[in-house]
Amino acid sequence: WPGCPLSGCLTKSLPSSSNCTTNPANTTTRSTQTGNSNVTQPSNSQNLTVGGGGSTPLPAEIPHLGKCTITCNVTPLTTQTDTLLCSNGTWQTDKDGKEWSACPPLSCPQPTTQMVGAGIIPKVSGSPTEVVPVGTSATLSCKNSSHVLMGPATVTCQQTGVWNPPDNQKPLCQNKPEVEKPPSHLGGDEIAVTTGTA
């Protein structure tokens, strides 16, 4: 409805290192009387640059059309930077207009044979994605069917962004032990063994 102010966006879901500015086009003004002239000043809540991990903390809310540049840790070694636009109470990514609610949880890349050990196939249950959330486990199996897995049968995505087995035991694929068979010339017959003197 005309004249109804548009809602701002809450900042509690933003990383503390976010840099936010209000949109200069959204500046509200107030007039004050000084002597015989009117002076137009920006409202105290507009044209701010706040956050960024500096001395000015993020306010509880950023006004409609305000923007924030955020950096999320995707993995402990990888970050992703986005610019968010406040649109009537909802954060949207500036590049594609998709709704944004929070940084994704820390994750690991999909596990590979090189990460867990030679000849080992890691498998994460569920749909395949590029990254896997911290705490997810992958089951291990040997690539070669004549091998057997020695050590842990799972690895888990750690806060460090790497896949670790329990107690840091390294999984290994080794040849299956051969079952000893009696020599074929014995034919399964019983052999009598005698001892003593003649």
Side-chain angles (χ1 to χ4, degrees), residues 88-125:
N88 195 20
T90 303
W91 288 113
Q92 296 177 346
T93 54
D94 202 27
K95 60 184 172 199
D96 56 16
K98 289 185 179 175
E99 189 173 327
W100 184 94
S101 57
C103 283
L106 278 177
S107 58
C108 295
Q110 276 287 343
T112 64
T113 295
Q114 291 80 13
M115 292 177 191
V116 294
I120 300 175
I121 300 172
K123 182 171 172 56
V124 177
S125 62

Side-chain angles (χ1 to χ4, degrees), residues 142-154:
C142 292
K143 186 175 184 178
N144 188 329
S145 61
S146 66
H147 290 167
V148 65
L149 183 68
M150 307 297 287
T154 61

Side-chain angles (χ1 to χ4, degrees), residues 15 71-80 103-107:
T71 300
C72 294
N73 291 321
V74 180
T75 73
L77 304 175
T78 310
T79 59
Q80 175 182 331
C103 283
L106 278 177
S107 58

